[in-house]
Amino acid sequence: MSKGMYVPKESQPKQGGGAGKAREGEKGGKRKIVAQNKKARHDYAIIDTFEAGLVLTGTEVKSLRQGRTSLTDGFVQIDRGEAWLHNAHIPEYNQGSWTNHSARRKRKLLLHREEIDKLESKAQETGHTIVPLALYFKDGRAKAEIALARGKKEYDKRQTLREQQDRRESDRAIAAAKRKQRA
């Protein structure tokens, strides 16, 4: 472009990176993970996963943004047609006053009716449970990833660990072979 030439705003290059893409009608959005429950993936065979919104107070959101949360003992229970997250530890907010929340209170999950009905019917089968897998922010809103899961037996856990170790060893061997070819 020459100096002093008028260029309409629509044809000018946009400023900034890709941060605005999630807000421009794209439904995917970026996930900022706050807490994960790695123990759940080890102890349970995941059958189906769901994304649920969380009903939180202001101090809980601020505490979540600090990222000091734990889902290790958490579980989901369906009570009178509503899903509730129990035992998720969101610590009290440091700068909170008398409006602070209790750390292990039960929190309501926001799901569609069909999802709640499906979870409730499957969870009543023997060996099935609903566990939280992750807490994260998506487009500025707190979300929980929950899963319908079946408990693993001890030999299933050993088998899974063995498969992971075999996969890692084969990946290492392939990477070493590729390095040798390049040299």
Side-chain angles (χ1 to χ4, degrees):
M1 280 190 251
S2 65
K3 196 172 187 179
M5 189 173 137
Y6 172 75
V7 180
K9 206 167 200 162
E10 297 86 38
S11 61
Q12 290 178 359
K14 293 196 175 180
Q15 298 287 324
K21 286 184 180 176
R23 282 180 253 139
E24 293 177 9
E26 223 177 270
K27 219 34 175 161
K30 193 145 180 149
R31 284 175 38 154
K32 181 185 175 238
I33 295 180
V34 176
Q36 283 188 332
N37 190 355
K38 293 179 182 178
K39 188 177 180 194
R41 293 194 186 273
H42 180 263
D43 291 341
Y44 298 99
I46 307 300
I47 298 169
D48 200 4
T49 60
F50 299 90
E51 181 180 65
L54 280 165
V55 177
L56 299 173
T57 64
T59 56
E60 286 175 322
V61 175
K62 290 178 180 188
S63 185
L64 270 179
R65 289 199 188 279
Q66 290 179 343
R68 301 178 301 128
T69 237
S70 172
L71 291 173
T72 317
D73 302 328
F75 64 95
V76 176
Q77 197 171 36
I78 310 290
D79 185 31
R80 289 187 230 132
E82 294 179 337
W84 295 89
L85 176 64
H86 293 268
N87 279 352
H89 184 264
I90 300 176
E92 288 187 353
Y93 183 57
N94 292 338
Q95 283 81 33
S97 59
W98 59 272
T99 59
N100 236 337
H101 63 279
S102 66
R104 289 204 183 263
R105 75 174 187 93
K106 68 179 189 174
R107 295 161 179 94
K108 188 175 181 178
L109 295 174
L110 304 173
L111 291 162
H112 290 283
R113 173 63 44 210
E114 306 88 48
E115 293 173 333
I116 292 174
D117 293 341
K118 180 180 179 181
L119 282 170
E120 187 172 23
S121 65
K122 291 285 189 176
Q124 289 174 351
E125 295 177 16
T126 53
H128 289 80
T129 187
I130 309 166
V131 292
L133 297 178
L135 284 179
Y136 55 91
F137 285 100
K138 182 176 176 183
D139 295 331
R141 299 180 190 271
K143 303 280 185 178
E145 183 180 14
I146 60 173
L148 179 66
R150 182 177 55 253
K152 284 185 184 177
K153 303 278 189 232
E154 194 62 38
Y155 57 84
D156 289 334
K157 294 177 191 177
R158 284 194 298 264
Q159 180 66 28
T160 305
L161 289 173
R162 197 172 303 122
E163 289 170 1
Q164 287 175 349
Q165 187 176 3
D166 292 344
R167 196 175 315 115
R168 258 189 244 116
E169 286 175 3
S170 66
D171 289 346
R172 282 187 195 127
I174 291 170
K178 284 184 181 178
R179 279 194 300 269
K180 268 189 177 177
Q181 277 183 341
R182 280 189 249 147

